[in-house]
């Protein structure tokens, strides 16, 4: 028996044939290259930012973090500060800057993807997300480099109403009108909106699904969905939704579940425009601000409206890790439906002059 001894090592390592960045997803490579255009050759910062993006589990998270962190990087450069040398006072000033800074909006009549800072300032929730993304980057840097600190660690986040939501929900009647408009628009639109609504899908989960993810489990038609954070979960496909999907697929057995004519996955920007157009066609009151997540939001709210609704069933349907998230939907719904404002306005109206008296 040969002895278990370490093999001798060469005097020098072999020439490098690949880089760690070769295994990064596209979003990380593109972001690192984008940053490298603004910093000297050999600066470790673009590589650190790329590595941070690369470790995010889903494409949607990577894309979102790039968009959010880009705001801080531009701000730091404008102040003449290298991001790796930023300290708490600058991070706090950035937080105040976000309160009034306009957001980027598409330029009407401009080139594809062209945007200008003409939109309203970010909401409290959006500012909190940007600050959290920045903090996530610096925490990664501290671990990766073995030194430094997170300048955003002590930056106060906007206080958010945990029972509130910026999403303006729809009634079941409005949802039916929207799905009818999708049906009239075509098989793909109908199958997509039915899936998002009846399976309670995030948009990135819907667009990331493949035909091969459809299947059966104990007699149930299912879709094996990739959820936020990258974990997989089989979700029930109701018969009406399964029928809509089958009509749309028309025998196709592979590829993205929802795809373009060229076989590429649908783009999220296209879906945003689609649901807004269909909401306007359906006559929904908040059509101008309607977006894909409203469909999932409505599905959860409507599920809670059922007389026999069980909170833990709705939590699983909504893919909420924490039951408190589902309970917030329930409290939001009750807060509007049971508002005392309806009753006091009705009582006081009896004492007020009416339009008929004029």
């Amino acid at each position: 028996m040969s002895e278990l001894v370490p093999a001798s090592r060469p005097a020098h390592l072999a020439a490098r044939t690949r880089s760690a960045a070769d295994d990064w997803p596209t979003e990380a490579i593109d972001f690192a290259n984008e940053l490298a255009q603004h910093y000297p050759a050999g600066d470790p910062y673009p590589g650190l930012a790329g590595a941070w993006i690369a470790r995010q589990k889903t494409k949607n998270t990577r894309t979102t973090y790039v968009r959010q962190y880009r705001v801080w990087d531009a701000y730091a450069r404008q102040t003449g500060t290298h991001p790796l040398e930023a300290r708490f006072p600058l991070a706090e000033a950035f937080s105040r800057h976000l309160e009034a800074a306009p957001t980027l909006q598409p330029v009407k009549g401009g080139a594809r993807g062209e945007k200008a800072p003409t939109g309203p300032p970010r909401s409290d929730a959006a500012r909190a997300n940007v600050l959290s993304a920045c903090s996530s980057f610096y925490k990664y840097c501290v671990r990766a480099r073995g030194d430094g600190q997170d300048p955003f660690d002590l930056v106060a986040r906007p206080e958010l109403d945990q029972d509130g939501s910026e999403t303006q929900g729809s009634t079941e009647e409005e949802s039916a009108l929207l799905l009818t408009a999708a049906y009239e628009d075509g098989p793909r639109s109908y199958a997509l909106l039915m899936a998002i609504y009846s399976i309670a899908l995030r948009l990135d989960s819907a667009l990331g699904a493949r035909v091969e993810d459809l299947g059966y489990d104990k007699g149930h038609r299912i879709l094996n969905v990739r959820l936020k954070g990258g974990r997989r979960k089989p979700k029930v496909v109701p018969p009406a939704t399964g029928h809509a999907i089958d009509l749309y697929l028309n025998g196709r057995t592979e590829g993205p579940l929802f795809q373009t004519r060229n076989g590429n996955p649908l783009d999220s920007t296209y879906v945003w425009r689609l649901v807004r157009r269909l909401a306007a066609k359906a006559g929904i009151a908040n059509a101008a601000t309607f977006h894909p997540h409203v469909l999932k939001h409505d599905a959860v709210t409507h599920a809670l409206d059922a007389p026999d609704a069980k909170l833990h069933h709705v939590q699983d349907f909504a893919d909420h890790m924490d039951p408190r998230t589902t309970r917030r939907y329930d409290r939001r719904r009750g807060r509007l439906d049971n508002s005392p404002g309806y009753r006091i306005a009705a009582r006081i109206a009896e004492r007020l002059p009416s339009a008929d008296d004029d």
Side-chain angles (χ1 to χ4, degrees), residues 107-335:
V107 176
K108 190 174 183 179
R112 181 178 178 84
E114 183 180 359
K115 295 184 177 182
T118 57
R122 290 169 178 79
S123 65
D124 288 350
R127 295 203 318 274
N129 288 336
V130 171
L131 296 174
S132 293
C134 295
S135 183
S136 172
F137 168 70
Y138 283 101
K139 284 181 170 59
Y140 172 79
C141 286
V142 171
R143 295 176 62 185
R145 305 173 76 196
D147 63 5
Q149 59 183 356
D150 173 13
F152 287 87
D153 190 40
L154 297 178
V155 175
R157 307 295 194 265
E159 293 188 9
L160 304 178
D161 180 2
Q162 295 301 317
D163 290 339
S165 173
E166 296 179 1
T167 301
Q168 299 175 342
S170 312
T171 65
E172 286 194 25
E173 290 76 13
E174 288 176 320
S175 294
L177 289 172
L178 176 65
L179 292 171
T180 299
Y183 177 83
E184 295 170 350
D185 194 64
R188 186 179 66 186
S189 298
Y190 184 53
L192 174 62
L193 267 64
M194 278 290 288
I196 294 176
Y197 176 76
S198 68
I199 311 178
L201 294 176
R202 290 167 52 92
L203 180 58
D204 59 310
S205 295
L207 300 187
R210 297 184 60 82
V211 180
E212 296 91 327
D213 294 329
L214 290 167
Y216 291 88
D217 187 355
K218 298 179 180 178
H220 298 284
R221 185 88 181 268
I222 63 165
L223 178 66
N224 192 20
V225 177
R226 185 176 292 279
L227 303 178
K228 182 178 181 180
R231 65 189 177 97
R232 286 277 187 176
K233 175 184 175 182
K235 301 198 68 175
V236 166
V237 178
T241 303
H243 181 63
I245 290 174
D246 289 340
L247 287 177
Y248 160 60
L249 292 177
N250 192 28
R252 183 162 59 89
T253 58
E254 60 183 14
L257 182 57
F258 301 106
Q259 66 178 25
T260 65
R261 293 177 181 177
N262 296 328
N264 298 316
L266 287 184
D267 178 74
S268 60
T269 302
Y270 165 80
V271 180
W272 272 68
R273 292 172 178 167
L274 171 69
V275 297
R276 196 156 289 184
R277 174 171 62 82
L278 295 177
K281 180 180 178 182
I284 294 178
N286 60 323
T289 58
F290 204 94
H291 53 83
H293 185 67
V294 175
L295 284 161
K296 179 178 178 180
H297 176 278
D298 289 342
V300 176
T301 304
H302 298 165
L304 288 167
D305 282 337
D308 58 346
K310 299 290 192 298
L311 189 67
H312 64 284
H313 290 163
V314 179
Q315 177 192 347
D316 184 65
F317 170 66
D319 308 316
H320 292 155
M321 296 289 287
D322 191 331
R324 290 175 295 184
T325 306
T326 314
R327 285 199 292 269
R328 284 198 288 270
Y329 276 80
D330 202 22
R331 289 197 294 270
R332 291 170 193 159
R333 176 177 58 96
R335 186 165 63 177

